[in-house]
Amino acid sequence: MKVFATRVIPAAGLELLEKAGHTVIQWAEPRELTTDERINFCKESDALLFAGGNKIDRPLLEHCRHMKVIGLLSVGYDNVDLKAATELGIQITNTPGVLSNATADTAFLLMLSVARKAFYQHKRILKGEWGFSTPTANLGIDVEGKTLGIWGLGNIGYVMAQRCKAAFGMNIIYHNRNRNEDAEINLQARYVSFEELLQQSDVLSVHASLTHETTNKFNMEVFRQMKPTAIFINAARGGIHNETDLIAAIEDGVIWGAGLDVTNPEPMQPDNPLLQMPTVAVLPHIGSATLETRNAMARVAAENIIAALAGRPVLNPVNHLYAL
Ligand SMILES: NC(=O)C1=CN([C@@H]2O[C@H](COP(=O)(O)OP(=O)(O)OC[C@H]3O[C@@H](n4cnc5c(N)ncnc54)[C@H](O)[C@@H]3O)[C@@H](O)[C@H]2O)C=CC1
Ligand SMILES: O=C(O)C(=O)CO
């Protein structure tokens, strides 16, 4: 059968699909597909492997109603209208677990980069501003022994907490939709209210999915409840924080700084004021972008598609999550 991939996909996934007898058509041009191109490819294909691009909305899904499955090359499913897909009988699958380590590593990298103003110091060197150093110049803040607050303690949040506990003996608090017993037992994580999370966290790392509940959650009213020394990390989705409020919060000293792997919109424009701030580190959504992880994600996405096309149950369905 014919599988259309919206980008060139990692070899591990391609090989699995081809070994299962499917023909994979990959969009290899360095530009976004037009709406008509997307519709035409979907009409001609039996499954879609969504590896990036514009939202899979109801109008596109109407052209995919003959498909058994759309496999996402991501764990996030906020870019799909799950309700429409479910109503049209199309299974949507994602790639949970295999990308947790790489994404948590990115959050960890951002945390240290902000605490030590690393991106800013790098830019100073590039501009020939190494200059005359003194004992009171270039000071960052320690994270050793401080309190890490995780908002959304699922797969990635757990690994971030684990890494911060092991490396820096950080005290872990969290707020989530449900309690996480593993984290409470193994990491001595303490469940707290959202308000307490804001008040107690020295580093607050966001790992919840983007939903109608989490959109714009971190706004000025929320930043004002945080410590003036707090570091805000978002390696989940840019829509969870309000960028205008984040800029103002850092400029006005409401919080210390921010590390972002995700922005709203993406890409962030080069003249964005966040990019000039000493206590800000921004990455271009590379959370899961390691060779090993992207191959693992491609394998999972391919296995889901192969199962659905063979009439077997898929491994990672997400249709049921649309009401959350
Ligand atoms: N930067 C990047 O490249 C990547 C970003 N992500 C993002 O990270 C998110 C999390 O991924 P996983 O940890 O694998 O998902 P997960 O489903 O294991 O964890 C998400 C957690 O957030 C919690 N949550 C959801 N809504 C909440 C709310 N309103 N209040 C409190 N907690 C809430 C859930 O209960 C769950 O425990 C994904 O949805 C995706 O958007 C994922 C992978 C890579
Ligand atoms: O998996 C996701 O949700 C991503 O953002 C990219 O890996």
Side-chain angles (χ1 to χ4, degrees):
M1 291 198 217
K2 216 190 256 182
V3 178
F4 175 59
T6 60
R7 300 276 194 271
V8 173
I9 59 165
L14 185 64
E15 280 162 19
L16 274 185
L17 286 163
E18 288 180 343
K19 226 165 131 188
H22 302 303
T23 303
V24 184
I25 300 173
Q26 306 181 82
W27 180 251
E29 288 192 35
R31 66 166 177 87
E32 207 49 72
L33 288 146
T34 65
T35 305
D36 284 348
E37 284 167 342
R38 281 212 314 174
I39 291 172
N40 288 337
F41 278 116
C42 286
K43 277 183 174 165
E44 290 165 11
S45 307
D46 301 293
L48 179 64
L49 199 163
F50 185 75
N54 295 332
K55 201 171 157 63
I56 306 182
D57 52 14
R58 188 180 283 273
L60 181 73
L61 287 163
E62 298 278 359
H63 297 283
C64 300
R65 48 171 73 236
H66 60 286
M67 288 185 185
K68 285 208 172 97
V69 67
I70 295 178
L72 307 178
L73 194 78
S74 66
V75 71
Y77 45 82
D78 49 280
N79 48 6
V80 187
D81 185 337
L82 287 185
K83 187 166 184 286
T86 307
E87 284 166 9
L88 292 163
I90 307 164
Q91 296 184 86
I92 308 292
T93 65
N94 71 346
T95 61
V98 291
L99 44 56
S100 303
N101 288 351
T103 310
D105 289 349
T106 305
F108 189 93
L109 163 71
L110 288 168
M111 173 180 75
L112 277 186
S113 303
V114 176
R116 302 301 298 272
K117 305 181 186 165
F119 287 29
Y120 168 71
Q121 303 298 1
H122 181 77
K123 277 186 276 182
R124 280 183 55 237
I125 297 171
L126 290 175
K127 288 194 272 182
E129 290 175 2
W130 186 309
F132 180 70
S133 186
T134 74
T136 55
N138 301 324
L139 302 186
I141 47 178
D142 285 333
V143 293
E144 175 87 31
K146 298 263 174 84
T147 295
L148 170 73
I150 302 278
W151 190 64
L153 201 146
N155 288 327
I156 299 169
Y158 187 95
V159 181
M160 174 65 172
Q162 207 175 30
R163 299 237 189 296
C164 291
K165 181 101 192 159
F168 297 118
M170 291 179 86
N171 164 43
I172 313 295
I173 58 176
Y174 76 102
H175 184 73
N176 200 42
R177 281 198 301 235
N178 354 77
R179 299 284 286 258
N180 186 314
E181 249 184 61
D182 269 2
E184 293 187 16
I185 294 167
N186 300 326
L187 307 175
Q188 293 79 53
R190 191 164 62 85
Y191 180 86
V192 294
S193 66
F194 184 58
E195 288 68 31
E196 195 178 345
L197 189 86
L198 300 176
Q199 291 155 11
Q200 301 288 324
S201 298
D202 294 304
V203 177
L204 198 158
S205 199
V206 168
H207 297 286
S209 12
L210 179 67
T211 64
H212 63 277
E213 264 179 33
T214 64
T215 298
N216 224 16
K217 182 81 175 178
F218 285 81
N219 51 38
M220 189 54 95
E221 194 192 324
V222 164
F223 292 131
R224 279 197 209 288
Q225 296 173 60
M226 292 169 62
K227 296 183 182 182
T229 48
I231 294 174
F232 172 75
I233 304 293
N234 188 355
R237 284 292 182 267
I240 294 175
H241 66 261
N242 179 303
E243 189 182 280
T244 309
D245 287 2
L246 180 62
I247 292 169
I250 299 170
E251 272 174 357
D252 299 348
V254 173
I255 64 170
W256 158 271
L260 309 174
D261 183 48
V262 287
T263 62
N264 185 20
E266 290 178 5
M268 178 181 265
Q269 293 308 305
D271 62 352
N272 191 300
L274 286 167
L275 296 171
Q276 300 308 323
M277 294 183 181
T279 55
V280 171
V282 183
L283 291 172
H285 202 148
I286 56 155
S288 65
T290 68
L291 190 61
E292 297 87 345
T293 298
R294 285 287 161 85
N295 269 320
M297 289 165 68
R299 240 178 261 125
V300 174
E303 279 163 1
N304 276 302
I305 291 173
I306 292 165
L309 292 180
R312 295 196 306 269
V314 297
L315 291 82
N316 311 104
V318 292
N319 294 70
H320 61 290
L321 298 174
Y322 77 78
L324 297 179

